[in-house]
Amino acid sequence: MTDLPPLLLARDRALHGLTPNDLAKRVKAGSLVRVRHGVYTDGQVWKGLKPWEQYRLRVQAAAETFEKPTVFARHSAASVWGIPPSA
């Protein structure tokens, strides 16, 4: 299973010395990609991921932003386990 790039959560931006404006500039420049509201990852690495790896990262981003523990099912659960979709 491919290791996924780390996620940068907007709520943790201050720990990285970033402002909301910094995040917006980096997204516009392509160095960051917005995976989901308030969740970003490295733009170059994102472009190199296969579609199912991007999906798995989106599922991980969702898990990071949900307030309560979440159970994933079907395609989302398969992606968490690293099972690529069938053709």
Side-chain angles (χ1 to χ4, degrees):
M1 184 162 51
T2 305
D3 288 333
L4 295 177
L7 295 172
L8 171 63
L9 304 179
R11 66 179 179 232
D12 296 336
R13 66 178 163 65
L15 297 173
H16 301 280
L18 299 170
T19 66
N21 196 31
D22 293 332
L23 291 176
K25 285 180 185 177
R26 290 181 185 199
V27 168
K28 188 173 183 178
S31 62
L32 284 178
V33 170
R34 182 179 174 257
V35 178
R36 156 181 192 94
H37 179 75
V39 185
Y40 305 87
T41 196
D42 181 272
Q44 284 300 110
V45 176
W46 173 263
K47 290 176 186 175
L49 294 175
K50 294 178 174 87
W52 65 83
E53 293 168 332
Q54 291 179 349
Y55 181 76
R56 188 164 54 116
L57 196 60
R58 285 189 185 106
V59 171
Q60 182 181 342
E64 290 288 337
T65 58
F66 293 155
E67 292 181 18
K68 296 181 180 180
T70 303
V71 175
F72 291 100
R74 301 180 53 111
H75 296 291
S76 299
S79 74
V80 169
W81 285 96
I83 302 169
S86 57

